[in-house]
C-alpha cells in the first residue's frame, strides 16, 4: 500500500460547483497535513495547513482531517476556472522534517 | 510577498555531466529543502538542510548529489555524473520552522526543469 494516495483525476466540474478532493494515508504517525495547488510548470503553492484532526476554513477553501479514518479532504466552494490545477496533499509525522506528497489530483473547472 | 527564486528555469545537460541548480530561499527562513518531481509523478523529498548541514535525506539522495550554502543567500544542489533518469523538475523550498510546521508550511520556488540527454 502506498503511503499517501490520491485519485489522479482528471476531475472536470462546471464553474460554481463544489469540489471535493481527497487523500488517504497509511501512516498513523502523520500529524501535519497540507494542501498545495500546482499550476503547470510551477512550484507547489500552499493553500491550507492543518494539524491533527478537525476542520479549517479559509475563504472558499475548507480542509478536513479525519485521523481515525486516515482520510483528509479539501473542499472548494464556488469553483472558478482559475482553480484549474493539480492539487497535492502532503503530510508529516510529528517532528518530521519532510512531508510526503500524494501524487496529485488534476482539476479542471469549465467556464 | 517573499519568494523562493530558482535558476536556471530550464537546464539541458549531456549524460555524465555535472550540473548545479541554484536557489535563493526567503531571507528569514532557516530550513531549506530540495524536492524533485519526475514528469507525471509525485513530488519526492530529496534533502533538508539546517545550520549549514544536512538534517535529513531520502534514499534518492545518494553520493551523486550534494548540497551547499556557499554564502548567506544561495542554496545549491549539485548533481554529478547525470543520468537520463535524473531528468525532472527540481524544486527548492524554505521554511521558518522545521518541516514547514508553522502556519506557512513550505514556500516553494518555481523549479528548474533538468533535461539530461
Amino acid at each position: 500500500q502506498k503511503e499517501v494516495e490520491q485519485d489522479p483525476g482528471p476531475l472536470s466540474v462546471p464553474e460554481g460547483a463544489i469540489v471535493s478532493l481527497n487523500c488517504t494515508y497509511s501512516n498513523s504517525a502523520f500529524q501535519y497535513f497540507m494542501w498545495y495547488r500546482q499550476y503547470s510548470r510551477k512550484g507547489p503553492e500552499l493553500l491550507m495547513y492543518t494539524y491533527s484532526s478537525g476542520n479549517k476554513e479559509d475563504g472558499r477553501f475548507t480542509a478536513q482531517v479525519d485521523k481515525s479514518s486516515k482520510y483528509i479532504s479539501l473542499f472548494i466552494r464556488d469553483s472558478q476556472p482559475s482553480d484549474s490545477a493539480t492539487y497535492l496533499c502532503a503530510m508529516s509525522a510529528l517532528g518530521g522534517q519532510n512531508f510526503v506528497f500524494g501524487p496529485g489530483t488534476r482539476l479542471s473547472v469549465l467556464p | 510577498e517573499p519568494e523562493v527564486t530558482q535558476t536556471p528555469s530550464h537546464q539541458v545537460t549531456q549524460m555524465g555531466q555535472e550540473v548545479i541548480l541554484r536557489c535563493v530561499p526567503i531571507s528569514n527562513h532557516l530550513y531549506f529543502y530540495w524536492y524533485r518531481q519526475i514528469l507525471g509523478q509525485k513530488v519526492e523529498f530529496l534533502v533538508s538542510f539546517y545550520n549549514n548541514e544536512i538534517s535529513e535525506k531520502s534514499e534518492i539522495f545518494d553520493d551523486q548529489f550534494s548540497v551547499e550554502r556557499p554564502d548567506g543567500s544561495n542554496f545549491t544542489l549539485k548533481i554529478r555524473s547525470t543520468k537520463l533518469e535524473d531528468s525532472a523538475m527540481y524544486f527548492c523550498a524554505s521554511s521558518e520552522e522545521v518541516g514547514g510546521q508553522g502556519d506557512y508550511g513550505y514556500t516553494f520556488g518555481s523549479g528548474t526543469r533538468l533535461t539530461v540527454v
Side-chain angles (χ1 to χ4, degrees):
Chain A
Q1 181 184 11
K2 293 181 181 177
E3 201 164 18
V4 180
E5 299 199 56
Q6 275 184 271
D7 185 336
L11 175 64
S12 293
V13 301
E15 184 175 355
I18 296 174
V19 177
S20 173
L21 303 167
N22 310 295
C23 282
T24 59
Y25 61 94
S26 58
N27 187 347
S28 57
F30 287 146
Q31 297 273 1
Y32 297 86
F33 305 92
M34 298 193 292
W35 283 97
Y36 281 90
R37 176 174 61 196
Q38 186 177 24
Y39 293 112
S40 180
R41 297 179 178 272
K42 294 291 187 182
E45 171 195 6
L46 181 66
L47 286 176
M48 299 287 286
Y49 181 98
T50 52
Y51 168 67
S52 195
S53 287
N55 295 358
K56 186 173 184 179
E57 188 173 322
D58 184 2
R60 295 185 296 113
F61 299 93
T62 299
Q64 289 185 352
V65 175
D66 181 351
K67 290 187 64 185
S68 62
S69 302
K70 298 191 183 69
Y71 186 89
I72 68 172
S73 300
L74 177 71
F75 297 96
I76 308 174
R77 289 181 296 282
D78 187 24
S79 55
Q80 304 295 309
S82 57
D83 294 328
S84 298
T86 297
Y87 289 79
L88 309 169
C89 64
M91 46 198 78
S92 170
L94 182 64
Q97 288 200 35
N98 74 81
F99 279 77
V100 178
F101 280 81
T105 298
R106 192 153 49 96
L107 171 67
S108 180
V109 180
L110 307 175
Chain B
E1 189 171 327
E3 290 183 341
V4 174
T5 305
Q6 289 187 245
T7 55
S9 57
H10 189 193
Q11 172 122 22
V12 181
T13 189
Q14 290 202 328
M15 196 167 52
Q17 296 297 303
E18 174 182 287
V19 295
I20 297 176
L21 310 182
R22 302 181 192 280
C23 170
V24 179
I26 292 175
S27 60
N28 64 331
H29 284 186
L30 301 176
Y31 301 87
F32 313 113
Y33 313 86
W34 283 100
Y35 281 76
R36 79 172 184 190
Q37 186 175 31
I38 295 171
L39 185 64
Q41 298 186 26
K42 68 176 186 177
V43 177
E44 299 174 294
F45 170 73
L46 292 179
V47 66
S48 59
F49 191 86
Y50 170 70
N51 200 25
N52 285 320
E53 61 182 22
I54 290 173
S55 47
E56 192 170 358
K57 61 183 181 179
S58 71
E59 294 176 351
I60 303 168
F61 194 89
D62 59 19
D63 292 343
Q64 186 192 3
F65 296 89
S66 62
V67 290
E68 196 175 40
R69 190 158 161 82
D71 53 41
S73 60
N74 290 287
F75 180 51
T76 62
L77 174 68
K78 182 187 291 185
I79 309 175
R80 289 179 282 274
S81 190
T82 49
K83 305 187 285 277
L84 295 177
E85 54 265 37
D86 294 327
S87 295
M89 284 288 287
Y90 287 82
F91 293 107
C92 174
S94 66
S95 67
E96 292 182 350
E97 298 182 22
V98 63
Q101 288 170 4
D103 280 346
Y104 303 103
Y106 296 152
T107 300
F108 280 84
S110 291
T112 294
R113 180 174 300 278
L114 176 65
T115 303
V116 182
V117 297

